[in-house]
Amino acid sequence: NAGVTQTPKFRILKIGQSMTLQCTQDMNHNYMYWYRQDPGMGLKLIYYSVGAGITDKGEVPNGYNVSRSTTEDFPLRLELAAPSQTSVYFCASHRPNSNQPQHFGDGTRLSIL
Amino acid sequence: KQEVTQIPAALSVPEGENLVLNCSFTDSAIYNLQWFRQDPGKGLTSLLLIQSSQREQTSGRLNASLDKSSGRSTLYIAASQPGDSATYLCAVRREDDKIIFGKGTRLHILP
C-alpha cells in the first residue's frame, strides 16, 4: 500500500497566485485531515473531513478551501496565496471510531514570495 | 479548549542513557493519545498509541504512559542511540475526533 500520498513535494508561489495541494490515500479511511507546520511549532489543523461530501473547519481555516468528492482524495486549495501561508503542509488519515493511528503523508513544502 | 504542552522543547543526552519526554494536556476527555516521531524534512511516524482506558504501551525500547486524571503522558526511551535523534510529538485525540498536537521535543543523542 502507498498509504497517504501528497503532491507536489515542493512549490514556490508568487503572492496572489492560487494552487491546489493534492492528497490521496488508499487505505479506505473515512477521516482525512490537513495540517500546517511552521518552524518550531506543532501541527495546526486547517480542515478535516469525516467522509465523502463532508468537510469542517479546524483551527486555522482562513485562506484555504477543501473538497471531498471521493473517499480517497482530499485536496487543499489556496485561492490567493499570501506570505503567511509559507509553511509545510501535511495530510493525514485514519479510520473513524477506532484506536488506529493516524497515517501521514511526507508533506508539501510551500513558499510564498 | 484542549491544549497540549511538551517539555522540554529540546534535549541532548549522551548515547546509552535512558530518557523521559513529557506531555501534558488540559482536558482529560480524550479518546486516545499518540506519540509520533518526525525526522527533518519528513512526515510523522506513529510510535505508540494509548487508548483512554489504558495506562501504558510498549514497543521495543519505547514505553509510553498515560495518566488521564492528571492530564499527563510520558515517553520513556531506554538505552538511547544516535538513530533516536528526531523530534517527538505528542497528540491528543478528542472525543469529537479532532487531534491536537504539542509543539514537540527535539531530541539529540550525542555519540
Side-chain angles (χ1 to χ4, degrees):
Chain A
N1 283 345
V4 179
T5 303
Q6 290 184 238
T7 56
K9 295 189 184 303
F10 305 95
R11 185 73 183 268
I12 298 174
L13 285 181
K14 294 182 180 178
I15 295 172
Q17 286 186 319
S18 62
M19 78 162 292
T20 299
L21 283 66
Q22 301 291 346
C23 175
T24 187
Q25 51 90 13
D26 61 359
M27 297 170 284
N28 201 32
H29 286 172
N30 283 35
Y31 282 33
M32 295 187 75
Y33 303 77
W34 274 107
Y35 295 92
R36 61 176 287 172
Q37 185 178 37
D38 299 310
M41 305 293 286
L43 278 72
K44 298 285 188 182
L45 180 64
I46 305 171
Y47 271 95
Y48 67 107
S49 169
V50 300
I54 305 169
T55 62
D56 209 345
K57 295 178 181 179
E59 303 171 76
V60 290
N62 291 345
Y64 306 95
N65 280 302
V66 293
S67 59
R68 186 89 183 275
S69 57
T70 66
T71 298
E72 294 78 19
D73 300 308
F74 190 40
L76 177 72
R77 180 140 182 101
L78 284 70
E79 290 293 351
L80 290 171
S84 61
Q85 293 177 306
T86 293
S87 189
V88 181
Y89 292 82
F90 289 102
C91 179
S93 72
H94 72 88
R95 294 188 186 282
N97 300 324
S98 76
N99 277 295
Q100 296 300 310
Q102 271 189 319
H103 294 259
F104 278 80
D106 286 339
T108 295
R109 191 173 299 273
L110 181 63
S111 294
I112 315 296
L113 303 177
Chain B
K1 178 185 175 184
Q2 178 72 271
E3 293 182 359
V4 180
T5 303
Q6 291 187 246
I7 296 173
L11 180 65
S12 293
V13 299
E15 179 180 2
E17 283 197 2
N18 304 326
L19 60 100
V20 174
L21 307 181
N22 297 293
C23 172
S24 62
F25 48 95
T26 54
D27 187 348
S28 61
I30 66 171
Y31 194 78
N32 61 42
L33 183 145
Q34 270 186 271
W35 283 93
F36 292 88
R37 171 186 173 133
Q38 185 177 28
D39 293 292
K42 298 293 187 182
L44 279 68
T45 301
S46 180
L47 297 173
L48 289 165
L49 183 149
I50 311 177
Q51 300 176 32
S52 62
S53 59
Q54 296 177 324
R55 299 284 290 184
E56 66 177 351
Q57 282 285 339
T58 298
S59 175
R61 293 182 294 107
L62 305 179
N63 175 275
S65 69
L66 175 64
D67 184 342
K68 228 176 63 162
S69 60
S70 66
R72 293 179 183 176
S73 176
T74 61
L75 179 67
Y76 175 83
I77 302 177
S80 58
Q81 303 170 357
D84 294 331
S85 297
T87 296
Y88 291 80
L89 291 151
C90 166
V92 166
R93 182 173 162 188
R94 297 177 356 181
E95 292 178 346
D96 64 357
D97 279 318
K98 287 185 179 177
I99 299 174
I100 308 299
F101 283 82
K103 294 181 180 180
T105 294
R106 291 189 312 280
L107 177 64
H108 182 48
I109 306 301
L110 305 168

